[in-house]
Amino acid sequence: MFKNYLKIAWRSIQKEKFFTSIKIGGFALGITTCLLIALFIRDELGYDTHYSKSDQMYRVVLQAEINGEMKKSTHFPLPMAQTLEADFPEIEKAGKIYGSALSSGGKRAFRSHAETQNVFEQGFLYGDQNIFEILEIPLLQGNPEEALIGPRNLVISESKAVKYFPNGKVLGQTLILDDNASRPYTVTGVMPDFPSNSHLHFDFLLPIDDSNASWTSQNYFTYVVLDEKSDVIALQDKMRSILNKYVIPAQIKRGRDASFIEILKKITYKLQPIGDIHLKSDIEMADGLPHGNLRFVYLFAAIAGFILLLACINFINLSTARSANRAKEVGLRKTVGAFKSNLVAQFLTESVLFSLISFVLGVLGAWALLPLFNSITEKTIEMPWTAGPFIPVLLISALIIGIISGLYPAFYLSAFRPVNVLKGSLSIRGKSGRLRSGLVVFQFATSVVLIIGTLIIYKQMNFILEKDLGYDKEQVVILEGANILGSKADSFKEQLLQLNQVQKVSASDYFPVEGSKRNQTTFTVVGEGRENVGVLSQTWRIDYDYIKTMGMQIVDGRDFSREFASDSVNSIIINKKMAHDLGLELPLGKQIDNNYQHWNIIGVVDDFHFKSMKEDITPLAFCIGSDLGTIAVKVNPGNIAESLASITAIWNRNVPNQVLSYTFLDQRFAQMHNDVLQMGQIFNSFAFFAIFVACLGLFALAAFMAEQRKKEIGIRKVLGASILGITQLLSGDFIKLVLIAMIIAFPIAFWMMDNWLQDFAYRIYIDWTVFGIAGLVALAIALFTVSFQSVRAALTDPAKSLRTE
């Protein structure tokens, strides 16, 4: 019997190839989309699950209430890790790390001892010996117990070992950092590359210098592995004893004032599970790591579900739309003795067969599109062909979806009464027609929501890129690795300024884009308000030309000047936000203190954005410093290639053994908002898929209606109805469905996207034009889809439609 069902199903496929290809194609497209999203979600939820003790691994987080606002940080003093392990038996191991690998910046000049030409590398991390055990880093070569003992030791990743030492002889090799041949490093270990879904990625691990074990400097991430039976909540409370025992006495000894000590007394320590770092970090004092967004994961999961539902709806519509073609078959089978259960089994077999074919095509489609999807999401996802449950899950899903999507058509078609069918008086209207219309409304409502979401995301991205940032990001070339210039830095700047293409030049490690250096300290006003809690502020060390080069505006006072010797000693420029938070209406001439020294305020710079648009502008101060790792060159608009060639020539004269590495400030700014751009691209793709599948469903309903009304159309043509009139008659019903879908979709889309925009401190406001454009697009797509069937029905010869009357 089953073999007979398969034969009939295959004949049905061959008989109606056009509709079958639409049915299978729509289903396969939905499966492709769902599988891509499922792989994305699997990757996001799989971060840091490769550790054998992932449920015992935590990162230490500090919480402190400052000015009524809860702040968080992941940076701790150097002795923190060792103290945690020594003072709390619940902690099996504690270790610390810091370095440029914890941000997107940090390029350093690098070469092997045998080479003379430097290259730029990034991913440098400093760690202690415990980090091998905590992060479960096995060494492919070398001894993990000795790899970081020496101050000039270096462990490199497997990929870098292959890159620089293809002969396989790695241990004992000498490497030069920052072009400093007098302080070479020796390779003492080779570690595997970190998996792509790890929150940490680094290629070079160096030993931490433990000589400055101060409790007053906070630069280190601290990780711990707990005993299996540890009570995390109780341990967090016990960890506060570190404050009174170590932190507060050290700060008092250093001369910190009472207001600062009050802040310290409010500190609490939290243990963040390592599996939560990627998706559940709300660290306001940024940890410099790229993070995912749990809400995006939920949103994409919902979209995947809706698109799969649209594909199932499309399958149902196409099955019932061609019901009249199967009606006589059903009638004859029932007449010769077939039971309803036999017919249901037959139609379910067809549905499962369609589902299996669709799954095969859908999986192949996802595999083909995966490289493009990876380029959009900036991931390295692979098809898990060898994963144990992958193929069985696909087969079970194909069976379940095939049965679920085929249930309604199976019972619907098997319910036809033979007498009515064979007499030609079959009526396929009523509740089933309303259901099909409802399904099309649902499909287009989903599509309109995705169209609106795409439009709003792109509007927000354009708003971000075009907003006045408080500085000029255009035509600024960022030269990286400039610390290699050493004593030649000032001469190099002067040589650049001789170029006609160059307007201004500045050297600093601090720029208003991610991946640049950051330094946060607390300031209080000297002589007044000392009892008040200080203001947490960024403190950037810059040169005399920085503010002019970046196009920032001094709104009060003056810029730094070489004419004033004190400017390089104790002068400071603050932004308007810092003046406001310090309560200074007239800040010029006031003194502020960060417990290192007193600073004289000589100017106020207009507020500018140095964080993502999701965050408010916060206090910031400038002082003259000697951080020369990066050089910003403001060039004239026009021939950028010529400007870069001239800059490169000067660089090569000064640093012949180092290739110039540069980026553009505007590109670095855009990279800060890559998550918005990625979401827009993904939404755009999903909207296309949803609309395409919805159009297939609408096409099916149009075919169904045209088939049901073919005699009515024939009579209208005989009575003189025009082709245009009949087309309008058939299309009008569908336009009503799309309008209903729009009415349903608009408030849902507004609610969803308004919630998304709440993440941004600086955002657009949704206006009616977005809904108007989305509505017009949906109407145009619907009209284009149904016009084919409407015109086809209008052109049919009425004699063929009415010959049985």
Side-chain angles (χ1 to χ4, degrees):
M1 184 66 74
F2 181 70
K3 184 178 179 181
N4 183 52
Y5 293 156
L6 287 176
K7 284 184 178 180
I8 296 171
W10 185 249
R11 288 171 187 167
S12 177
I13 291 174
Q14 292 182 312
K15 183 179 180 182
E16 296 187 353
K17 295 179 181 178
F18 179 67
F19 274 91
T20 299
S21 62
I22 292 178
K23 187 187 299 187
I24 293 176
F27 221 162
L29 186 60
I31 291 162
T32 294
T33 307
C34 288
L35 185 54
L36 288 174
I37 297 176
L39 291 173
F40 173 83
I41 293 173
R42 176 176 177 264
D43 184 78
E44 287 289 290
L45 296 179
Y47 264 73
D48 297 308
T49 56
H50 59 280
Y51 296 111
S52 63
K53 293 185 176 182
S54 59
D55 58 338
Q56 298 170 243
M57 297 171 65
Y58 295 84
R59 181 174 70 170
V60 185
V61 176
L62 176 149
Q63 289 186 175
E65 186 177 345
I66 301 176
N67 291 334
E69 186 177 353
M70 185 61 70
K71 299 289 186 179
K72 297 183 180 182
S73 175
T74 54
H75 297 87
F76 292 90
L78 187 146
M80 183 71 170
Q82 183 180 353
T83 302
L84 286 173
E85 185 175 334
D87 289 9
F88 303 100
E90 301 94 328
I91 297 176
E92 291 183 353
K93 282 288 180 182
K96 55 188 175 293
I97 56 173
Y98 85 97
S100 61
L102 302 178
S103 69
S104 57
K107 288 186 177 180
R108 300 176 67 176
F110 179 91
R111 61 183 167 89
S112 67
H113 190 268
E115 300 291 332
T116 57
Q117 185 75 25
N118 289 309
V119 296
F120 279 115
E121 285 286 2
Q122 54 187 355
F124 291 88
L125 196 73
Y126 291 82
D128 61 20
Q129 201 68 37
N130 283 352
I131 214 67
F132 288 108
E133 188 172 346
I134 293 172
L135 297 180
E136 300 177 7
I137 304 174
L139 290 190
L140 306 176
Q141 298 182 43
N143 183 355
E145 295 181 0
E146 301 176 354
L148 295 180
I149 290 179
R152 318 305 300 172
N153 288 1
L154 174 67
V155 177
I156 65 175
S157 66
E158 184 179 11
S159 59
K160 298 303 179 184
V162 171
K163 177 180 178 181
Y164 291 105
F165 308 105
N167 60 5
K169 297 179 180 179
V170 184
L171 294 184
Q173 297 287 347
T174 303
L175 296 171
I176 308 299
L177 293 183
D178 303 323
D179 203 36
N180 189 352
S182 64
R183 294 172 62 85
Y185 284 82
T186 301
V187 179
T188 54
V190 177
M191 58 186 173
D193 293 334
F194 275 76
S196 60
N197 56 352
S198 168
H199 79 281
L200 284 176
H201 290 94
F202 53 91
D203 290 304
F204 306 95
L205 184 60
L206 301 91
I208 288 177
D209 180 5
D210 286 333
S211 60
N212 183 25
S214 169
W215 280 96
T216 58
S217 297
Q218 304 190 67
N219 299 302
Y220 303 89
F221 280 24
T222 301
Y223 291 84
V224 297
V225 177
L226 304 187
D227 180 84
E228 288 181 332
K229 300 179 181 179
S230 296
D231 184 336
V232 175
I233 303 299
L235 178 59
Q236 289 176 158
D237 292 336
K238 289 172 62 177
M239 285 167 58
R240 293 197 75 246
S241 63
I242 290 176
L243 291 170
N244 295 324
K245 193 173 180 180
Y246 302 104
V247 178
I248 292 177
Q251 296 290 0
I252 292 175
K253 183 178 179 180
R254 188 177 181 179
R256 291 285 191 174
D257 58 79
S259 62
F260 190 82
I261 300 303
E262 287 302 314
I263 295 176
L264 295 181
K265 291 179 180 179
K266 298 177 182 179
I267 285 177
T268 57
Y269 296 117
K270 300 295 181 184
L271 295 174
Q272 182 183 28
I274 197 167
D276 289 353
I277 293 175
H278 180 65
L279 285 177
K280 299 179 182 179
S281 287
D282 57 350
I283 309 301
E284 296 175 18
M285 299 177 185
D287 59 10
L289 299 172
H291 291 289
N293 189 315
L294 189 59
R295 288 205 289 180
F296 285 1
V297 172
Y298 290 148
L299 179 61
F300 292 156
I303 290 173
F306 275 120
I307 290 180
L308 184 60
L309 188 57
L310 294 184
C312 292
I313 290 171
N314 174 57
F315 181 88
I316 294 170
N317 270 345
L318 281 165
S319 297
T320 56
R322 307 299 293 172
S323 56
N325 291 8
R326 307 292 299 273
K328 290 185 178 180
E329 175 192 340
V330 172
L332 287 172
R333 284 180 173 276
K334 282 192 171 184
T335 300
V336 296
F339 294 105
K340 183 177 181 179
S341 59
N342 300 128
L343 296 171
V344 169
Q346 175 193 320
F347 290 126
L348 283 179
T349 301
E350 291 183 18
S351 176
V352 170
L353 179 61
F354 287 150
S355 179
L356 288 170
I357 296 172
S358 299
F359 260 81
V360 171
L361 296 176
V363 171
L364 292 176
W367 180 55
L369 291 174
L370 195 54
L372 176 62
F373 187 72
N374 280 335
S375 68
I376 294 174
T377 59
E378 296 184 354
K379 288 184 173 293
T380 55
I381 301 171
E382 298 179 351
M383 290 293 286
W385 301 113
T386 57
F390 182 64
I391 300 299
V393 166
L394 288 178
L395 291 174
I396 292 171
S397 299
L399 289 172
I400 292 174
I401 292 174
I403 292 171
I404 292 174
S405 59
L407 279 175
Y408 174 74
F411 282 97
Y412 172 74
L413 293 172
S414 63
F416 290 162
R417 298 181 64 183
V419 175
N420 293 335
V421 171
L422 298 177
K423 285 174 60 179
S425 58
L426 179 67
S427 176
I428 314 175
R429 292 178 182 267
K431 292 182 179 179
S432 62
R434 288 194 294 272
L435 176 61
R436 279 187 293 275
S437 298
L439 294 178
V440 169
V441 167
F442 175 80
Q443 286 181 310
F444 262 85
T446 303
S447 302
V448 171
V449 168
L450 290 174
I451 293 172
I452 293 171
T454 301
L455 292 173
I456 290 174
I457 289 170
Y458 277 107
K459 286 191 70 173
Q460 175 66 16
M461 190 65 193
N462 288 334
F463 169 80
I464 290 171
L465 295 178
E466 296 173 6
K467 189 181 186 301
D468 181 5
L469 303 175
Y471 66 92
D472 186 3
K473 67 180 187 297
E474 307 298 331
Q475 312 299 133
V476 178
V477 184
I478 303 296
L479 309 183
E480 300 172 321
N483 54 327
I484 198 174
L485 289 163
S487 60
K488 299 179 182 179
D490 289 337
S491 173
F492 177 75
K493 289 171 60 179
E494 291 301 322
Q495 292 173 55
L496 290 178
L497 288 170
Q498 299 302 315
L499 297 174
N500 293 330
Q501 304 98 319
V502 173
Q503 296 180 13
K504 298 177 181 68
V505 181
S506 174
S508 176
D509 278 339
Y510 300 83
F511 289 95
V513 289
E514 288 181 356
S516 291
K517 200 170 182 179
R518 293 292 182 263
N519 179 37
Q520 196 158 237
T521 53
T522 302
F523 286 88
T524 55
V525 180
V526 176
E528 53 181 288
R530 291 284 290 182
E531 71 280 7
N532 293 331
V533 174
V535 170
L536 199 63
S537 169
Q538 283 289 317
T539 307
W540 292 7
R541 292 184 289 274
I542 62 174
D543 66 6
Y544 291 94
D545 305 304
Y546 182 91
I547 291 176
K548 293 184 286 290
T549 302
M550 300 304 296
M552 297 170 181
Q553 300 298 315
I554 298 289
V555 295
D556 196 8
R558 64 176 178 84
D559 195 355
F560 293 115
S561 173
R562 292 178 178 85
E563 297 178 2
F564 298 90
S566 61
D567 279 9
S568 62
V569 180
N570 59 1
S571 294
I572 199 165
I573 295 174
I574 63 175
N575 68 352
K576 289 168 61 177
K577 174 64 175 173
M578 184 170 178
H580 174 271
D581 286 3
L582 287 170
L584 298 176
E585 294 184 5
L586 299 172
L588 293 186
K590 294 290 194 303
Q591 283 193 330
I592 55 178
D593 173 47
N594 63 350
N595 282 285
Y596 291 93
Q597 70 175 84
H598 289 356
W599 300 89
N600 297 317
I601 300 175
I602 64 168
V604 178
V605 68
D606 201 3
D607 289 336
F608 62 93
H609 292 275
F610 57 92
K611 299 180 181 180
S612 164
M613 290 291 174
K614 293 181 179 180
E615 301 178 66
D616 286 310
I617 293 174
T618 55
L620 182 141
F622 292 124
C623 64
I624 296 297
S626 58
D627 294 55
L628 305 176
T630 306
I631 291 179
V633 184
K634 179 74 172 179
V635 298
N636 293 321
N639 194 337
I640 295 295
E642 182 181 342
S643 300
L644 290 174
S646 299
I647 293 170
T648 302
I650 293 176
W651 175 273
N652 290 338
R653 287 201 301 269
N654 286 272
V655 194
N657 64 332
Q658 176 68 64
V659 176
L660 176 63
S661 176
Y662 64 85
T663 58
F664 294 94
L665 190 62
D666 56 348
Q667 293 177 351
R668 293 275 295 273
F669 174 79
Q671 288 172 2
M672 290 172 64
H673 303 90
N674 260 355
D675 59 332
V676 183
L677 186 60
Q678 288 175 4
M679 187 176 179
Q681 292 173 325
I682 294 172
F683 248 76
N684 193 26
S685 303
F686 293 163
F688 170 78
F689 289 148
I691 291 168
F692 186 78
V693 173
C695 286
L696 291 178
L698 191 62
F699 183 86
L701 188 57
F704 171 79
M705 295 299 293
E707 186 171 334
Q708 291 299 299
R709 301 177 69 176
K710 62 183 180 181
K711 292 182 180 178
E712 174 192 343
I713 293 168
I715 294 172
R716 286 180 179 274
K717 289 194 70 176
V718 169
L719 295 176
S722 65
I723 294 176
L724 179 61
I726 293 173
T727 301
Q728 290 175 338
L729 174 70
L730 294 177
S731 301
D733 293 335
F734 302 113
I735 297 304
K736 292 176 184 176
L737 296 179
V738 175
L739 289 174
I740 293 171
M742 289 162 55
I743 292 171
I744 295 171
F746 286 170
I748 295 174
F750 178 86
W751 172 81
M752 182 178 75
M753 298 313 298
D754 189 63
N755 274 303
W756 177 72
L757 288 170
Q758 299 298 327
D759 286 343
F760 293 87
Y762 304 91
R763 50 163 287 186
I764 62 169
Y765 290 92
I766 304 172
D767 57 35
W768 66 270
T769 57
V770 173
F771 300 99
I773 294 171
L776 289 174
V777 169
L779 283 172
I781 292 172
L783 280 172
F784 179 79
T785 303
V786 302
S787 61
F788 174 80
Q789 287 292 348
S790 300
V791 171
R792 182 183 177 189
L795 292 174
T796 303
D797 186 354
K800 294 181 180 180
S801 305
L802 301 174
R803 62 186 175 185
T804 57
E805 294 298 313

